Amino acid sequence: VQLQASGGGLVQAGGSLRLSCAASGQDFRNYDMGWFRQAPGKERELLAYIYRTGGYTSYADSVKGRFTISRDNAKNMVWLQMNGLKPEDTGVYYCARGTATAGRWNDWGQGTQVTVSS
């Protein structure tokens, strides 16, 4: 499987970006999908995940109320809508697939850079 993340860029604080992740393969609907962020000098952080059915989502406290994860199993796509961006949201964003309840993320995209200026 391949995961291709895109949509990153440079944005001013308070702005918005929408990240996309395209997945290859026929079994996209069999996996939970997550978005992670790795900020400079920090460990990779799970920001949000969505169940394979799309019926449940979960967010880190740092992004709750500002970010929204969604997916379309017919299109093999997952998105992360990011509003109210802050400088501390700067980092490389990765999409991943796996089993959220097990904390197991098996496959990763290549990452897309998000930079939020103050």
Side-chain angles (χ1 to χ4, degrees):
V1 67
Q2 284 190 329
L3 300 174
Q4 184 77 27
S6 62
L10 174 64
V11 64
Q12 288 189 333
S16 298
L17 282 174
R18 189 190 195 205
L19 304 184
S20 300
C21 177
S24 63
Q26 301 299 314
D27 56 354
F28 177 77
R29 65 182 65 245
N30 294 333
Y31 292 89
D32 305 328
M33 295 297 296
W35 282 99
F36 291 73
R37 175 175 67 209
Q38 186 156 23
K42 295 188 178 181
E43 293 188 355
R44 193 172 296 188
E45 172 190 14
L46 174 61
L47 301 178
Y49 65 82
I50 185 167
Y51 276 2
R52 57 205 66 189
T53 62
Y56 178 80
T57 57
S58 180
Y59 299 90
D61 288 343
S62 59
V63 305
K64 197 173 296 182
R66 300 188 297 123
F67 291 10
T68 302
I69 188 171
S70 59
R71 68 188 293 164
D72 185 332
N73 286 346
K75 296 181 179 179
N76 281 17
M77 294 288 297
V78 62
W79 297 275
L80 185 68
Q81 177 66 42
M82 306 187 295
N83 299 328
L85 284 162
K86 305 174 181 181
E88 52 264 43
D89 293 318
T90 293
V92 180
Y93 285 67
Y94 300 88
C95 59
R97 75 167 195 173
T99 304
T101 52
R104 185 171 64 243
W105 301 95
N106 307 96
D107 301 297
W108 296 81
Q110 85 288 0
T112 185
Q113 175 71 44
V114 172
T115 303
V116 184
S117 63
S118 57

